């Protein structure tokens, strides 16, 4: 709040300053960081209106799209990031803008457009490439193309076996194979979560799903053992309460 007051005081005192556009841009950034997204949008739009030739224009449009995205206005976010990519097709923020655009499409259930954008980013280095590969698989799944989803999730596990998202992917495979009646494969994935990620929050749910898989197979003794293990290791948790009911 002190930073906001100082910025407003600056505008009042130096309305024609060389730094006025920068100060107003930083005001928008303060609003964005403090999750006051409507105020951030107004601040960024004011810079664009009051300083149409500002050198900060690429950063402002990017941040404006970010503010819309964070306030869950994905249609306007997509519009801003599309404009950014059209006007500034090169630079360090391009890959991030493409990811925001893809995520906006995904959140609007425009999966075909999201898929095209994610696939373009899968070769990116670092977290962007990893996230793009992960979201590519979810796009296929959301489009009910299960064979393509299986292939994409398998590729993700091969490329990023140590990532935190690998746990979610293995859980997805466990549920997928369980739904197909391929119980041995399902147990393989649920068991790997318990073995390889013992400190993960997903262990409870993996134990529960492992028990349900054994029940579906008719392996009652194993199911009971898993449910008792779950209830003992995680007393009071949601999966543990479900385990007691199953027992």
């Amino acid at each position: 709040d002190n930073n906001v007051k100082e910025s407003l005081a600056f505008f009042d005192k130096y309305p024609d300053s060389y730094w006025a556009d920068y100060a107003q841009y930083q005001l928008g950034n303060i609003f964005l960081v403090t999750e006051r997204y409507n105020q951030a949008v107004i601040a960024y739009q004011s810079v664009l209106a009051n300083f149409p030739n500002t050198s900060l224009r690429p950063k402002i449009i990017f941040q404006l799209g970010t503010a819309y995205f964070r306030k869950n206005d994905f249609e306007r976010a997509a519009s801003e990031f599309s404009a950014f990519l059209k006007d500034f097709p090169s630079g360090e923020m391009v890959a991030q803008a493409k990811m925001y655009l893809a995520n906006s499409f995904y959140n609007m259930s425009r999966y075909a457009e999201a898929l095209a954008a994610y696939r373009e980013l899968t070769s990116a280095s670092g977290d962007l490439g990893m996230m793009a590969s992960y979201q590519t698989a979810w796009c296929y799944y959301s489009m009910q193309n299960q064979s393509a989803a299986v292939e994409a999730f398998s590729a993700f596990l091969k490329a990023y076996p140590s990532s935190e998202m690998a746990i979610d992917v293995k859980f997805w495979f466990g549920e997928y194979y369980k739904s197909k009646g391929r119980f041995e494969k399902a147990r393989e994935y649920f068991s790997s979560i318990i073995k390889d990620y013992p400190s993960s929050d997903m262990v409870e749910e993996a134990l529960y799903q492992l028990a349900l898989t054994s029940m579906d197979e008719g392996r009652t003794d194993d199911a009971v053992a898993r449910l008792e293990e779950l209830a003992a290791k995680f007393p009071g948790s949601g999966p543990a309460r479900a385990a007691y009911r199953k027992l």
Side-chain angles (χ1 to χ4, degrees):
D1 287 336
N2 287 335
N3 288 333
V4 173
K5 290 178 181 178
E6 290 173 5
S7 297
L8 292 174
F10 178 90
F11 296 141
D12 290 338
K13 191 172 182 179
Y14 306 107
D16 299 320
S17 169
Y18 176 80
W19 295 101
D21 59 339
Y22 179 77
Q24 196 163 350
Y25 165 67
Q26 289 293 10
L27 179 61
N29 290 342
I30 293 169
F31 285 136
L32 185 63
V33 170
T34 55
E35 300 181 0
R36 288 178 281 184
Y37 301 128
N38 289 329
Q39 292 96 320
V41 166
I42 293 171
Y44 293 134
Q45 289 177 334
S46 295
V47 186
L48 294 175
N50 295 328
F51 306 95
N53 298 318
T54 177
S55 62
L56 296 170
R57 189 174 184 84
K59 293 181 178 180
I60 294 167
I61 295 176
F62 183 93
Q63 292 294 76
L64 181 57
T66 303
Y68 279 128
F69 186 89
R70 291 185 183 176
K71 70 193 292 284
N72 297 327
D73 190 341
F74 301 115
E75 186 171 350
R76 289 189 178 182
S79 177
E80 293 299 333
F81 286 116
S82 295
F84 175 91
L85 291 168
K86 179 181 178 181
D87 294 340
F88 311 103
S90 62
E92 60 182 14
M93 294 187 293
V94 167
Q96 288 179 302
K98 288 181 178 179
M99 178 59 75
Y100 267 118
L101 179 60
N103 289 339
S104 297
F105 287 145
Y106 186 87
N107 281 291
M108 289 189 287
S109 300
R110 292 164 59 176
Y111 300 121
E113 293 165 279
L115 178 62
Y118 286 132
R119 291 181 66 179
E120 187 177 344
L121 287 167
T122 53
S123 60
S125 60
D127 290 343
L128 278 177
M130 179 175 66
M131 182 59 71
S133 297
Y134 179 74
Q135 287 297 116
T136 293
W138 280 114
C139 274
Y140 282 126
Y141 179 72
S142 298
M143 296 168 72
Q144 301 182 353
N145 188 341
Q146 290 194 345
S147 60
V150 167
E151 184 178 343
F153 277 130
S154 296
F156 179 87
L157 286 180
K158 184 177 180 180
Y160 307 101
S162 302
S163 71
E164 291 186 8
M165 290 181 290
I167 304 174
D168 292 333
V169 174
K170 288 186 175 184
F171 194 86
W172 182 88
F173 270 120
E175 290 190 311
Y176 171 78
Y177 285 118
K178 180 175 176 290
S179 70
K180 299 297 183 182
R182 298 180 61 181
F183 301 121
E184 185 175 349
K185 289 288 291 183
R187 281 191 283 106
E188 177 185 327
Y189 281 103
F190 290 134
S191 296
S192 71
I193 294 173
I194 299 166
K195 177 184 177 182
D196 298 335
Y197 311 96
S199 60
S200 170
D201 293 338
M202 295 292 289
V203 168
E204 302 171 45
E205 193 61 40
L207 267 171
Y208 185 64
Q209 291 299 326
L210 197 56
L212 296 186
T213 301
S214 293
M215 288 175 62
D216 289 346
E217 288 181 281
R219 301 169 70 235
T220 306
D221 290 344
D222 184 70
V224 168
R226 293 295 185 181
L227 292 170
E228 289 177 339
E229 180 184 358
L230 173 58
K233 285 185 175 179
F234 305 98
S237 69
R241 289 193 294 271
Y244 279 120
R245 290 193 292 271
K246 287 294 182 183
L247 282 168

